[in-house]
Amino acid sequence: MQSAEEKQAPQGWKRIGRAIMDAALVPVLAIFSAIIVGGVVIAVVGGNPFAAYLGLIQGAYGSTKAWSETFVWATPYIFAGLAVALAFKGGLFNIGAEGQLAFGAVATAWVGYALPGMLGVELPAILHIPLAIGAGMLAGFLWAAIPGALRAYAGGSEVINTIMMNYIALNITSFLLNGPMKDNNPLNVIARTPEIAEGARIPVIFDGLRVHWGFPLALIVAFLVWYLLWKTTFGFEIRTVGANPDAAKYAGINYKRVIVLTMALSGLLAGLAGAVEVTGLNYRHELGFSIGYGYDAIAIALLGRTHPLGVVLASILFAGMRNGATRMQFLTQIPVDIISVIQALILLFVAADAIVRYIYRIKAKEDRLVLTRGWGG
Amino acid sequence: MSEKKIVLDARGITKQFPGVLANDLVDFDLREGEVHALLGENGAGKSTLMNVLYGLYKADSGEVKVNGENLILSSPRDAIYKGIGMVHQHFMLVPVFSVTENIMLGAETDHRATPNESPLVKLDRKEVAQKVKSLSQQYGLEVEPAAIVGDLPVGVQQRVEIVKALYRNANILILDEPTAVLTPQEADDLFRIVHELTTRGVSIVFITHKLKEVLAIADRITVMRGGKVVGTTTPQETDEHQLAAMMVGRDVILTVEKEVAHPADDVLLVEKLRVRDVRDIETVRGVSFTVRAGEILGIAGVQGNGQTELAEALTGLRRIEGGTIQLAEKNLTGKTPRIFTESGLAHIPEDRQRHGLVLGYTVADNMVLCDYYKAPFGVNGVLQQKALDENSRRLIQEYDVRTPSPYVSAGKLSGGNQQKVIVARELSRANVKLVVANQPTRGLDVGSIEYIHKEIIAMRDRGVAVLLISAELDEVMALSDRIAVMYHGEIVTTVDAKSVTREQLGLWMAGSKVQQPAA
């Protein structure tokens, strides 16, 4: 009996190892291809691609400070990337992370600056931080549940509805930050909330570096999402609805409820991205603080093959590129915008994986990444 | 006969797909005016060969001669140009177009004097309709040029496909599983048409896996197995058993051995059930019947007479409009699939890839698709991987599922093994009282069919009620203790399986009135 067990173990690990290799193959080759093409672009505009990439790597991962800043960038990417990836697993395309994130940030900021005043007491951090973050999660959860319910019970495409709701969310946010929630410090002219209370702030990990405990939290949440999806019965339901809604019905799964909850949980994660940015980094919500995290998250989820581990790695890569770009520009005068080109190329190669497979002569796999069933599917 | 000219000659056709050698040095020839049947199980390589001949696939090696001319067919357009026409198993017709429009589609008459004239000219339907009429008279293929294809019965749609090929001057016709969707009467009609066509010099390749048809219609028979040609023979030289043995490589029992049934109490009680289909048309129109413990009730009928909706209603997948469903003395009218399952239903669904499996999931995951939430598989909302593994290893062995490991995704298994995964999952569940098996052996190889039939009978013998729905009349007749014939959403009659003939059932399936009182 024991020997049989021993025989099984390496087999299992080997299997997992091969699965990771298979999953990582296309993304890694896509990144590689994008770097090559990006290098050609840099050379064509008269730069030295080697110097540029060296500057990029130094700026991103070359020092303790560089790593710290990369992790700061990576934190919202991980949360938002997980949000999009979770929805993909459930067969849903959440383009609304941007709006869910904005509402999460607004709710968190409000709890952060207004709650002590309303209650008339300073809250201890142990209470105030969870309350503030919880408010952001709840806001994202509820906001995303709406397109989820529209999809489940009225057949409305979540793709269209989440895009629409982004505009609604961003305009309401703009109204709130310019009006009722505006920082009324007489010196302030921009649309932003007051600073949140000291007690609502996530502390930094090391003095002198900006990286805060939100980053380890993001890693824990990534693990929890993985556990939810692959180890729980509810995760089984989400994946079944995503992979084959007809089989889900057949299996007795209440797929409408699963759709609403998947969307809502995706929104919760996006809301968390906003909440952690407010409590860990900015200490307030400011219009235009999210420079498209919700959209980058789609690229990150795709590059990470909608797997939490992949999302973490893709986030650190994207964060590094954003972070290192400044140093690259400083050293080589190559504009930071080249980073957007490279990121777009990566996404292009990942999304159109047939190109990558063709270039590198990889045999087609049967099981393609199933993302969404599209219209009412 | 054998002196006739060879119109189509394929030599040494080899076609490799990832992991499968679909055609291995296949030789196949077709003589003028003959019906050459290509017989083989699913996956034997028949369709691959025909797709090579029709220019849909490019062979890795080998050569094709049409009328003695060496050809490289790189698209169906080439094949059509050379006079090869194909009627696919799934018709390639536009349902909202008229017969004429469908026939001219892709072969619109060009009335422009020079290519520089505007391409936006009026479609000349009249001329085409005229030609369609003359073609259909010439070959005895009755079709109404102005009819909308979607309104036509399947048999007539098939005729439209044939006329379409003839319109393109085809003198070689490939018919891919042409009788799969037809009633026995419609099939007879088709045979008459095929005969008519051959007397006028059209040569026909008739692809099928039905032995009786082959013997009835073919001049020559070529049997394929595992990508190779096993042999070529004629109906005079062979019989059903020999052909079956050639197809599967061993002798098969064509009849199912079973003991006499000992039916007991009513398990499934259906009363005045009414169901609408996706188009919101009532396709089950007041159906009542019972299935008793320890018996198999077979539902015979041509596909599309309400069987799909009936099965979905009986398993909770489709909302019902009226009537009641009682399973094991519990009223399950309007309940969800989960409650049906928990009340003792095992469901082998019609479309195994759409409903029965998640193809991207491992075999192990698929084997708990309906029970993942219950102990021992789900405890406090957490999946128990160990229980999943043990369960799948046990079922793989018990039900002889051929898979390299439980962790292979179900999509990588053959059709027969996919079906075995479903059968294993459904029949092994504790406390099964009713099995609803809808097309349980569709598209499977003979070996798997035999196996699944045995399992279904074993369930019956254990005192489980079985409702079998199948478009294969032979299957219904071989397995059932009682047979209900479904036509146009109603159960026309229910008879004792032993006291009815194939011909009689065929007539009822085609809608003729019941003369004798139902048993």
Side-chain angles (χ1 to χ4, degrees):
Chain A
M1 196 64 211
Q2 219 173 10
S3 67
E5 291 279 305
E6 274 163 12
K7 256 187 179 169
Q8 294 301 335
Q11 219 181 10
W13 281 110
K14 219 166 143 190
R15 184 168 60 84
I16 291 165
R18 181 178 291 175
I20 292 175
M21 289 260 290
D22 282 349
L25 190 60
V26 168
V28 167
L29 290 174
I31 293 164
F32 178 71
S33 312
I35 287 171
I36 302 267
V37 178
V40 172
V41 173
I42 293 171
V44 165
V45 300
N48 178 346
F50 298 102
Y53 285 139
L54 194 66
L56 185 68
I57 292 168
Q58 275 179 6
Y61 314 111
S63 64
T64 318
K65 181 152 187 299
W67 275 106
S68 160
E69 285 303 300
T70 295
F71 287 154
V72 167
W73 274 94
T75 305
Y77 276 161
I78 294 174
F79 287 124
L82 289 171
V84 178
L86 179 82
F88 273 145
K89 276 282 171 253
L92 298 163
F93 197 171
N94 180 11
I95 309 186
E98 189 76 6
Q100 294 142 19
L101 190 149
F103 268 1
V106 166
T108 297
W110 184 82
V111 172
Y113 75 79
L115 198 60
M118 282 178 64
L119 298 176
V121 283
E122 279 296 303
L123 290 162
I126 190 115
L127 217 61
H128 205 172
I129 295 174
L131 275 177
I133 291 179
M137 287 159 65
L138 183 66
F141 182 92
L142 294 175
W143 189 241
I146 299 169
L150 288 173
R151 167 66 191 268
Y153 297 101
S157 162
E158 82 283 1
V159 177
I160 305 295
N161 286 330
T162 51
I163 295 175
M164 304 288 214
M165 289 179 66
N166 276 346
Y167 291 105
I168 301 173
L170 295 176
N171 283 311
I172 292 176
T173 305
S174 172
F175 161 74
L176 291 173
L177 298 193
N178 279 302
M181 291 176 71
K182 188 169 182 178
D183 177 11
N184 42 24
N185 182 328
L187 296 174
N188 176 41
V189 290
I190 61 174
R192 66 180 196 195
T193 67
E195 280 211 324
I196 58 172
E198 292 281 345
R201 297 178 187 183
I202 298 178
V204 296
I205 304 176
F206 310 103
D207 280 337
L209 292 175
R210 289 210 304 164
V211 62
H212 51 84
W213 286 99
F215 180 69
L217 177 67
L219 299 182
I220 293 168
V221 170
F223 173 79
L224 291 177
V225 169
W226 172 81
Y227 189 85
L228 170 79
L229 281 173
W230 276 277
K231 296 290 155 187
T232 69
T233 54
F234 182 57
F236 190 87
E237 293 184 347
I238 293 178
R239 288 185 292 123
T240 305
V241 170
N244 186 344
D246 288 314
K249 267 180 250 183
Y250 164 88
I253 293 168
N254 186 346
Y255 69 102
K256 289 182 177 177
R257 187 176 140 256
V258 171
I259 286 175
V260 178
L261 275 176
T262 306
M263 206 63 198
L265 283 177
S266 172
L268 177 143
L269 290 166
L272 193 52
V276 171
E277 280 297 271
V278 168
T279 49
L281 193 67
N282 301 320
Y283 305 139
R284 57 159 46 101
H285 186 43
E286 195 173 305
L287 209 56
F289 103 86
S290 163
I291 359 173
Y293 288 135
Y295 298 113
D296 282 351
I298 298 166
I300 286 166
L302 288 174
L303 181 59
R305 302 278 294 179
T306 70
H307 190 284
L309 180 62
V311 166
V312 168
L313 295 176
S315 297
I316 291 172
L317 178 77
F318 266 50
M321 288 169 85
R322 288 274 173 223
N323 177 33
T326 335
R327 180 154 181 89
M328 178 195 73
Q329 185 171 14
F330 174 73
L331 289 176
T332 62
Q333 281 74 54
I334 292 160
V336 290
D337 303 313
I338 192 72
I339 296 309
S340 304
V341 174
I342 294 172
Q343 289 183 345
L345 282 167
I346 294 176
L347 184 59
L348 179 83
F349 284 125
V350 169
D353 64 343
I355 301 175
V356 173
R357 291 183 190 283
Y358 176 74
I359 295 173
Y360 300 98
R361 303 285 187 277
I362 305 168
K363 262 203 302 184
K365 281 263 170 186
E366 266 180 76
D367 28 322
R368 294 194 44 137
L369 189 62
V370 177
L371 294 175
T372 164
R373 297 267 146 191
W375 303 91
Chain B
M1 178 88 217
S2 60
E3 307 313 314
K4 286 215 174 134
K5 192 177 85 170
I6 289 176
V7 289
L8 180 71
D9 193 10
R11 294 275 149 232
I13 302 291
T14 298
K15 176 76 189 171
Q16 172 97 43
F17 287 115
V20 195
L21 191 56
N23 276 180
D24 186 6
L25 292 172
V26 172
D27 295 337
F28 184 85
D29 62 48
L30 182 66
R31 298 189 189 127
E32 189 173 25
E34 76 165 344
V35 176
H36 192 160
L38 189 56
L39 183 69
E41 294 186 306
N42 287 63
K46 298 169 297 188
S47 293
T48 304
L49 177 62
M50 288 309 125
N51 284 331
V52 167
L53 296 180
Y54 194 56
L56 280 166
Y57 294 157
K58 203 177 158 301
D60 299 333
S61 65
E63 57 172 25
V64 180
K65 279 187 192 168
V66 180
N67 295 317
E69 186 189 352
N70 234 325
L71 285 181
I72 298 164
L73 297 167
S74 55
S75 79
R77 189 172 276 263
D78 292 352
I80 291 164
Y81 181 70
K82 293 292 171 192
I84 302 175
M86 184 154 175
V87 176
H88 296 267
Q89 198 172 349
H90 304 283
F91 304 149
M92 306 287 175
L93 298 170
V94 185
V96 294
F97 278 12
S98 72
V99 169
T100 306
E101 284 166 334
N102 265 290
I103 285 169
M104 64 199 297
L105 189 66
E108 299 88 348
T109 323
D110 198 335
H111 284 300
R112 289 175 296 169
T114 69
N116 296 333
E117 265 179 59
S118 160
L120 291 170
V121 291
K122 196 167 168 278
L123 286 173
D124 195 348
R125 289 192 183 77
K126 242 183 215 154
E127 195 189 299
V128 181
Q130 204 54 51
K131 199 167 165 199
V132 169
K133 241 187 195 136
S134 73
L135 274 175
S136 57
Q137 274 163 12
Q138 197 181 334
Y139 294 100
L141 286 153
E142 284 161 54
V143 286
E144 169 54 47
I148 299 298
V149 162
D151 299 339
L152 298 174
V154 180
V156 181
Q157 290 191 17
Q158 192 172 53
R159 267 181 244 164
V160 175
E161 283 276 21
I162 295 172
V163 173
K164 196 168 128 187
L166 295 175
Y167 180 80
R168 286 158 175 73
N169 300 316
N171 48 37
I172 299 170
L173 259 184
I174 303 170
L175 306 178
D176 190 3
E177 302 271 359
T179 56
V181 286
L182 303 181
T183 59
Q185 282 73 15
E186 281 176 321
D188 286 346
D189 254 7
L190 175 73
F191 292 166
R192 185 182 53 73
I193 291 166
V194 164
H195 187 71
E196 187 69 33
L197 288 167
T198 53
T199 58
R200 286 166 196 272
V202 177
S203 319
I204 290 174
V205 182
F206 196 99
I207 304 175
T208 185
H209 62 256
K210 294 183 187 167
L211 305 169
K212 284 198 180 74
E213 283 176 4
V214 169
L215 293 169
I217 197 166
D219 296 311
R220 283 194 298 155
I221 303 163
T222 290
V223 183
M224 283 187 80
R225 182 175 78 232
K228 288 187 183 140
V229 169
V230 183
T232 300
T233 178
T234 64
Q236 290 76 37
E237 293 166 8
T238 189
D239 59 35
E240 260 184 69
H241 284 89
Q242 196 189 348
L243 285 174
M246 281 169 87
M247 265 168 80
V248 295
R250 64 189 166 92
D251 288 315
V252 267
I253 315 155
L254 281 176
T255 50
V256 184
E257 282 176 28
K258 59 174 192 199
E259 308 286 315
V260 182
H262 301 287
D265 305 338
D266 292 352
V267 172
L268 179 70
L269 238 147
V270 178
E271 254 172 83
K272 298 193 181 98
L273 188 69
R274 287 186 295 113
V275 190
R276 286 172 188 273
D277 69 359
V278 275
R279 297 162 301 169
D280 211 29
I281 295 166
E282 194 169 287
T283 47
V284 177
R285 310 190 308 161
V287 163
S288 304
F289 62 90
T290 57
V291 189
R292 291 168 293 178
E295 74 162 356
I296 299 176
L297 176 69
I299 305 256
V302 178
Q303 278 178 55
N305 275 287
Q307 301 98 313
T308 301
E309 289 76 22
L310 175 66
E312 287 181 351
L314 292 181
T315 51
L317 285 168
R318 186 171 287 281
R319 202 167 59 93
I320 66 175
E321 299 297 320
T324 57
I325 301 168
Q326 238 187 67
L327 173 57
E329 293 174 351
K330 253 168 87 179
N331 187 356
L332 294 186
T333 315
K335 293 289 191 278
T336 62
R338 173 135 314 159
I339 293 173
F340 274 85
T341 309
E342 292 189 337
S343 309
L345 167 76
H347 179 197
I348 300 170
E350 181 175 11
D351 188 335
R352 72 181 81 95
Q353 302 202 338
R354 194 178 143 212
H355 282 114
L357 294 168
V358 179
L359 293 179
Y361 276 9
T362 61
V363 171
D365 282 352
N366 271 299
M367 280 182 166
V368 295
L369 194 61
C370 302
D371 303 296
Y372 66 91
Y373 62 97
K374 280 191 300 207
F377 309 123
V379 176
N380 299 323
V382 178
L383 286 177
Q384 306 298 312
Q385 196 57 50
K386 219 171 185 174
L388 259 65
D389 289 352
E390 280 167 12
N391 174 64
S392 59
R393 284 182 200 283
R394 183 172 60 83
L395 293 183
I396 283 169
Q397 199 163 28
E398 251 174 58
Y399 289 83
D400 189 32
V401 182
R402 307 281 165 83
T403 172
S405 100
Y407 309 113
V408 169
S409 59
K412 290 195 174 125
L413 302 186
S414 70
N417 283 305
Q418 288 181 352
Q419 191 73 346
K420 279 185 189 173
V421 170
I422 296 173
V423 167
R425 175 185 71 214
E426 294 302 310
L427 302 191
S428 68
R429 191 179 299 129
N431 200 26
V432 171
K433 297 194 180 85
L434 170 73
V435 177
V436 173
N438 194 357
Q439 317 292 355
T441 59
R442 173 142 77 195
L444 300 188
D445 57 282
V446 174
S448 304
I449 291 175
E450 207 178 291
Y451 184 83
I452 286 165
H453 284 174
K454 267 190 203 150
E455 288 298 328
I456 288 174
I457 289 178
M459 287 306 276
R460 181 202 77 166
D461 292 344
R462 254 179 279 158
V464 171
V466 178
L467 180 71
L468 169 76
I469 301 175
S470 176
E472 297 286 342
L473 197 47
D474 290 329
E475 175 164 271
V476 172
M477 293 188 69
L479 288 182
S480 308
D481 300 310
R482 287 188 301 142
I483 298 175
V485 181
M486 202 159 170
Y487 175 74
H488 208 66
E490 284 165 17
I491 286 187
V492 187
T493 182
T494 307
V495 292
D496 185 348
K498 285 191 292 290
S499 66
V500 68
T501 62
R502 207 185 139 74
E503 288 63 36
Q504 184 57 61
L505 284 173
L507 284 171
W508 285 331
M509 282 162 66
S512 74
K513 292 274 174 289
V514 178
Q515 303 295 332
Q516 63 186 67

